[in-house]
Amino acid sequence: MAIQKHVALLLQFLLVALVFDIANGYPLKLGFYQKTCPRAEAIVKRTTANYIYRAPSLAAALLRMQFHDCFVRGCDGSVLINSTRKNQAEKDGIPNLSLRGFQVIDAAKTAVEAACPGVVSCADILSLVARDAIHQIKGPYWPVPLGRRDGRVSIASESFTLPAPFANITQLKAQFVSKGLSVKDLAVLSGGHTVGISHCSTIATRLYNFTGKGDTDPSLDPRYVPQLKRICFPTDKTTLLAMDPGSSKSFDEDYYSVVLKRRGLFQSDAALLNDKTTAAYVKLQAKSHGYTFFKDFQASMVKMGQIGVLTGKAGEIRRHCALIN
């Protein structure tokens, strides 16, 4: 049994150690900067830890930032680019206005540039920071194959292609499949909502005017609605809500228990109960205390980190993450 387990772990390592990007024909791989910038990953980890120690809530924000980056133009760091007079960039698209944590990426980039100028991409730094931030709050740790290059295009309107909090299960499945992710990945990555916060404005329609008749979304637990309404008034745009009440600072499986009780904050959370595969995953994690959640999250994050990457001579290595060279 021990030998079989060892072989399984070895195969898993080999599978993630060299990840090929079909579009460019060059591999992402573990230890990509071992010769060109051997301290890069340690520098990013140290910088991230300094920020998360002072502000643990940034971990959820940085995970969300990577998700928003990868789902628009692939994992190319385009969400980090500033707008100019001639172009409104992704970070200024409406779905991205609440993104935060850019200072962590900038600090990590500055520190890495001081050690190895022009070598490590912002896209790779974002991938590492998201992983290290979640692990810092006792979440899972996943391998991050590296070698991404930075994109040179960032368009605000493309941010509307992101999976929306009001999306239904058909829309969510189509968006994930279009990125090479599975329906299981949808259920797994939704579990990232176990940490973090949102705004009352995101659920105002769901609470007060779901079908335009002053009604509430019937998929919400009716016993939970009064609690939410005491916190969120119809025009409230500033009050913050925990994504996973009572456990929003811990990366754990409690999110799935919340969804199963029909108390998921977003329509997209509730939608997981409307598909056989995603509903089964929600029930499994809720009833088994997250028996496979961390392992599954690790695997899905490795897959997400491969979406549409630029490698080889494509793109560039930005000197400053917010600015195209």
Side-chain angles (χ1 to χ4, degrees):
M1 183 64 70
I3 294 175
Q4 290 177 332
K5 185 175 181 181
H6 177 75
V7 171
L9 289 172
L10 179 60
L11 287 173
Q12 184 180 19
F13 174 80
L14 291 174
L15 282 171
V16 298
L18 192 62
V19 181
F20 285 92
D21 172 55
I22 303 301
N24 296 285
Y26 290 89
L28 295 182
K29 62 180 181 180
L30 295 177
F32 181 84
Y33 298 108
Q34 188 171 357
K35 293 182 179 179
T36 55
C37 191
R39 294 173 50 226
E41 294 186 47
I43 292 170
V44 172
K45 182 178 181 179
R46 183 174 64 248
T47 304
T48 304
N50 288 339
Y51 277 90
I52 302 303
Y53 177 79
R54 298 195 301 268
S57 66
L58 280 174
L62 291 162
L63 178 64
R64 180 174 179 241
M65 187 186 294
Q66 189 192 5
F67 183 89
H68 281 222
D69 183 48
C70 291
F71 265 72
V72 179
R73 291 190 169 269
C75 308
D76 67 345
S78 54
V79 77
L80 306 172
I81 297 172
N82 285 344
S83 295
T84 65
R85 284 180 296 175
K86 295 182 178 180
N87 179 66
Q88 190 176 35
E90 282 174 41
K91 66 164 61 172
D92 289 318
I94 291 174
N96 287 331
L97 292 178
S98 57
L99 288 180
R100 62 193 185 95
F102 293 102
Q103 72 274 23
V104 184
I105 307 301
D106 291 339
K109 176 64 170 176
T110 298
V112 170
E113 283 292 304
C116 315
V119 174
V120 182
S121 70
C122 297
D124 274 345
I125 288 174
L126 175 54
S127 295
L128 288 168
V129 166
R131 187 270 310 276
D132 293 340
I134 291 300
H135 191 242
Q136 178 86 2
I137 61 168
K138 297 181 170 55
Y141 183 93
W142 56 91
V144 179
L146 301 170
R148 297 167 190 80
R149 303 267 293 178
D150 295 322
R152 296 176 52 84
V153 177
S154 184
I155 302 170
S157 61
E158 293 184 350
S159 65
F160 287 103
T161 64
L162 285 162
F166 47 81
N168 61 42
I169 192 63
T170 301
Q171 294 166 329
L172 291 168
K173 287 165 64 176
Q175 287 174 304
F176 272 68
V177 170
S178 74
K179 301 299 180 184
L181 300 175
S182 68
V183 176
K184 179 182 177 180
D185 291 321
L186 164 60
V188 173
L189 293 174
S190 294
H193 286 172
T194 186
V195 287
I197 54 177
S198 188
H199 293 81
C200 282
S201 56
T202 310
I203 64 165
T205 299
R206 195 175 185 213
L207 285 178
Y208 291 102
N209 199 27
F210 187 62
T211 64
K213 299 178 181 179
D215 55 342
T216 300
D217 182 354
S219 69
L220 262 174
D221 177 2
R223 295 167 296 182
Y224 188 44
V225 172
Q227 296 180 43
L228 291 174
K229 286 187 173 181
R230 282 196 292 271
I231 300 170
C232 296
F233 296 100
T235 58
D236 188 342
K237 297 184 182 300
T238 57
T239 301
L240 299 175
L241 284 170
M243 299 287 291
D244 181 2
S247 183
S248 62
K249 295 181 180 180
S250 300
F251 199 101
D252 56 30
E253 78 288 346
D254 193 59
Y255 163 81
Y256 295 104
S257 298
V258 170
V259 171
L260 192 59
K261 294 175 184 176
R262 296 170 55 203
R263 295 188 172 196
L265 202 57
F266 298 155
Q267 288 168 247
S268 58
D269 296 321
L272 296 178
L273 297 178
N274 296 331
D275 173 81
K276 182 179 179 180
T277 300
T278 54
Y281 190 82
V282 168
K283 292 172 185 175
L284 171 65
Q285 301 310 321
K287 295 184 182 301
S288 69
H289 302 290
Y291 181 66
T292 65
F293 177 45
F294 272 36
K295 175 178 68 69
D296 293 339
F297 196 83
Q298 292 165 341
S300 291
M301 285 301 297
V302 172
K303 286 179 67 177
M304 189 187 81
Q306 301 168 31
I307 297 174
V309 295
L310 302 173
T311 61
K313 296 183 179 180
E316 64 182 17
I317 303 296
R318 279 184 232 136
R319 291 187 291 272
H320 302 281
C321 290
L323 305 173
I324 297 170
N325 291 347

